[in-house]
Amino acid sequence: MFDGYEAICCRISVCVFELLSVLLLLVLLSSLSVDGRKARVHHYFEYSAMSCRAHSASLTDFGGVGDGTTLNTEAFRAAITHLSQFESDGGSQLFVPPGNWLTGSFNLTSHFTLYLDKDAVLLASQDVDNWAVIDPLPSYGRGRDTAGGRYISLIFGTNLTDVIITGENGTIDGQGALWWDKFHRRELQYTRPYLIEIMYSDNIQISNLTLVNSPSWNVHPVYSSNIIVQGLTILAPVTSPNTDDSCLNTRIEDCYIVSGDDCVAVKSGWDEYGIAFGMPTKQLVIRRLTCISPFSAVIALGSEMSGGIQDVRAEDILAINSESGVRIKTAVGRGGYVKDIYVRGMTMKTMKWAFWMTGDYGSHPDNNYDPNAIPVIENINYRDMVAENVTMAARLRGISGDPFTGICISNVTIEISKTSKKIPWNCSDVSGITSGVVPKPCDLLPDQGLVAECNFPTECLPIENVEVQTCSYRSKYL
């Protein structure tokens, strides 16, 4: 009797102990899921990129603090310096987790991916002392805002290969109001910084990000090749100065841009400096773009085009409340050329001009330009477009003695605003043909009936055949 009672008590004790253990475990798990959530977050995601990486790290591994006030410049620099050792060993990727990451400028490395979480915000430092001053672009001869140098971009890289800046629509905020105010008050010592600038580099991807409030240009690949700019949302107040894209040898697609200046600005150097440097913009694809730019163009070619611009293909563009759909800007002294331009499938809503060509855009870097350097503008093709609520169909003004030639406009219908008091077409020093264009074009662009159709190349450019693959990132517990 005693032995049986003792056995029952033992079994009860074991059951109670097991029950208490389970309860304790549940309490610990509950505590961990609430109070220790940040200590057990596991990041895994997949993304599309030209190259995948063998090595990974998080910015927090290098002391990054995403509280919006701690400066993380050294954390970014330390992380990228560490990851640069893997350039020849499968490359590396740096993950920026959720948070507000205040930082000054930092440089990228080759075979490298910078990835921003959807809830990550890079905040550009507003302390001017955090921005180094670098030399002006050799094809410009001076800074764009002031003579002399320029502030380095927030994210910068030069002489790189295989670089990817991407994310799940994470945000890069340039906090540009400080710089805009200095620009308007003429207090700038050097040209304003850009958000992203990549120089002398090859195989670059910039995708799936939101860029806001850039001090100046947002994305500036220059002297580079094989570049994809894809899936960007670019936002700036429409009164902010010079927030645009300047692109060389690239493909831009599936972007939404609200800008205080040209949405896509295609350039190649300024007057004698661009002529001497001699690097043209070629083989540029722009497609599926939505743009709002009340004071400037959706696509601008020039005015800094002294190295030449050739073979630009734009299609499936939506322009809303913008000054002009396509604008070519140049001047005596530029030299260079803009030729073989093809635009089709453009829809324009509430515009000042659908088409604008300017031969007297006379801003020069200095007084050393050659007045005999005359630009060549030829073989400009626009087709399959509709526009509504437009003040004027076109303002096309070439250069006296140097007309813009080979202009072709076909299958274009432009609805002039009922309140407009201007003539639909204003043309001088241009020549070409039109077909199926409403309203009736100027006499310098005679209507050929329905037999003429402007060109658009059928063969693909090499940049269009670049393929992406599915890459992944898995973090340690943070």
Side-chain angles (χ1 to χ4, degrees):
M1 183 74 176
F2 178 82
D3 290 341
Y5 174 78
E6 185 178 47
I8 291 172
C9 289
C10 287
R11 285 197 296 272
I12 292 174
S13 298
V14 170
C15 291
V16 170
F17 176 78
E18 290 177 348
L19 179 60
L20 290 173
S21 298
V22 170
L23 290 173
L24 179 61
L25 179 60
L26 289 174
V27 170
L28 288 172
L29 287 174
S30 176
S31 174
L32 185 61
S33 66
V34 175
D35 298 327
R37 183 176 294 135
K38 291 184 179 180
R40 301 293 287 175
V41 172
H42 188 73
H43 290 284
Y44 175 82
F45 52 83
E46 295 181 342
Y47 61 96
S48 297
M50 294 189 294
S51 303
C52 298
R53 311 304 184 190
H55 302 272
S56 302
S58 171
L59 185 63
T60 55
D61 298 337
F62 299 87
V65 179
D67 59 6
T69 57
T70 302
L71 190 65
N72 290 281
T73 310
E74 292 307 317
F76 275 106
R77 292 175 179 174
I80 294 169
T81 297
H82 170 77
L83 293 171
S84 67
Q85 68 182 303
F86 303 114
E87 284 184 7
S88 59
D89 184 28
S92 60
Q93 55 190 345
L94 177 62
F95 173 60
V96 182
N100 296 312
W101 308 90
L102 182 67
T103 181
S105 175
F106 57 89
N107 291 4
L108 304 180
T109 189
S110 291
H111 305 291
F112 174 78
T113 296
L114 177 66
Y115 186 98
L116 273 63
D117 182 89
K118 65 182 178 64
D119 295 319
V121 180
L122 263 59
L123 294 171
S125 170
Q126 294 190 299
D127 184 347
V128 175
D129 292 337
N130 289 325
W131 301 85
V133 177
I134 60 176
D135 292 335
L137 295 171
S139 62
Y140 277 62
R142 52 161 283 171
R144 193 63 184 84
D145 293 333
T146 67
R150 58 207 182 98
Y151 292 104
I152 195 169
S153 298
L154 180 65
I155 300 174
F156 183 76
T158 185
N159 296 295
L160 303 179
T161 299
D162 181 21
V163 173
I164 297 166
I165 307 170
T166 189
E168 192 181 352
N169 287 321
T171 299
I172 302 174
D173 187 345
Q175 302 201 95
L178 164 77
W179 301 97
W180 305 334
D181 289 344
K182 286 181 176 292
F183 176 86
H184 288 303
R185 293 196 299 262
R186 299 184 179 181
E187 294 177 353
L188 286 168
Q189 292 183 287
Y190 306 100
T191 291
R192 289 164 290 152
Y194 310 148
L195 282 189
I196 301 172
E197 182 174 63
I198 307 294
M199 300 176 60
Y200 301 107
S201 298
D202 185 62
N203 292 331
I204 307 299
Q205 174 185 331
I206 304 169
S207 62
N208 299 325
L209 296 168
T210 298
L211 310 181
V212 300
N213 301 322
S214 176
S216 184
W217 297 341
N218 283 275
V219 179
H220 189 232
V222 59
Y223 316 144
S224 301
S225 59
N226 301 318
I227 300 168
I228 295 176
V229 177
Q230 183 181 59
L232 298 185
T233 298
I234 298 177
L235 305 174
V238 295
T239 56
S240 61
N242 294 106
T243 48
D244 59 8
D245 294 21
S246 182
C247 305
L248 179 67
N249 294 338
T250 189
R251 131 183 157 213
I252 304 171
E253 58 189 5
D254 302 310
C255 294
Y256 177 82
I257 303 173
V258 178
S259 175
D261 209 288
D262 303 320
C263 289
V264 176
V266 185
K267 303 176 183 290
S268 69
W270 203 0
D271 287 6
E272 70 270 25
Y273 302 102
I275 294 171
F277 197 76
M279 181 174 286
T281 294
K282 285 187 174 181
Q283 298 184 331
L284 173 62
V285 176
I286 305 166
R287 57 195 180 195
R288 298 185 300 276
L289 176 77
T290 297
C291 173
I292 300 172
S293 182
F295 303 109
S296 206
V298 175
I299 299 174
L301 308 171
S303 71
E304 303 91 343
M305 39 64 67
S306 303
I309 296 171
Q310 184 175 15
D311 198 357
V312 176
R313 309 176 185 189
E315 58 184 327
D316 300 329
I317 309 296
L318 175 60
I320 304 171
N321 189 24
S322 297
E323 188 174 46
S324 60
V326 182
R327 186 179 183 188
I328 296 175
K329 301 185 286 185
T330 189
V332 170
R334 289 285 192 268
Y337 53 83
V338 176
K339 59 185 179 181
D340 305 333
I341 309 301
Y342 310 96
V343 184
R344 70 177 178 186
M346 192 171 196
T347 300
M348 293 172 272
K349 300 176 182 290
T350 307
M351 313 290 290
K352 190 171 183 179
W353 295 287
F355 308 118
W356 193 5
M357 298 184 187
T358 308
D360 60 353
Y361 201 91
S363 173
H364 300 285
D366 52 39
N367 294 323
N368 298 320
Y369 68 92
D370 180 2
N372 296 314
I374 306 298
V376 174
I377 312 298
E378 63 182 15
N379 193 24
I380 312 299
N381 300 269
Y382 304 138
R383 57 178 284 186
D384 307 333
M385 300 183 183
V386 294
E388 62 183 48
N389 195 27
V390 176
T391 302
M392 203 171 165
R395 182 182 183 185
L396 310 177
R397 294 185 175 181
I399 297 171
S400 179
D402 178 42
F404 299 171
T405 62
I407 299 170
C408 181
I409 306 175
S410 67
N411 189 28
V412 172
T413 299
I414 300 172
E415 176 192 278
I416 302 299
S417 168
K418 292 181 174 63
T419 60
S420 177
K421 297 180 181 180
K422 298 183 178 181
I423 60 173
W425 294 76
N426 185 332
C427 307
S428 62
D429 298 300
V430 297
S431 66
I433 61 173
T434 58
S435 173
V437 176
V438 178
K440 184 181 182 298
C442 55
D443 292 339
L444 294 176
L445 302 175
D447 192 334
Q448 305 297 298
L450 299 178
V451 297
E453 187 176 76
C454 301
N455 292 328
F456 196 96
T458 57
E459 76 282 1
C460 290
L461 293 172
I463 192 66
E464 297 181 78
N465 296 321
V466 174
E467 296 182 356
V468 297
Q469 52 190 305
T470 300
C471 304
S472 64
Y473 172 90
R474 185 184 301 275
S475 71
K476 299 176 292 184
Y477 284 114
L478 303 177

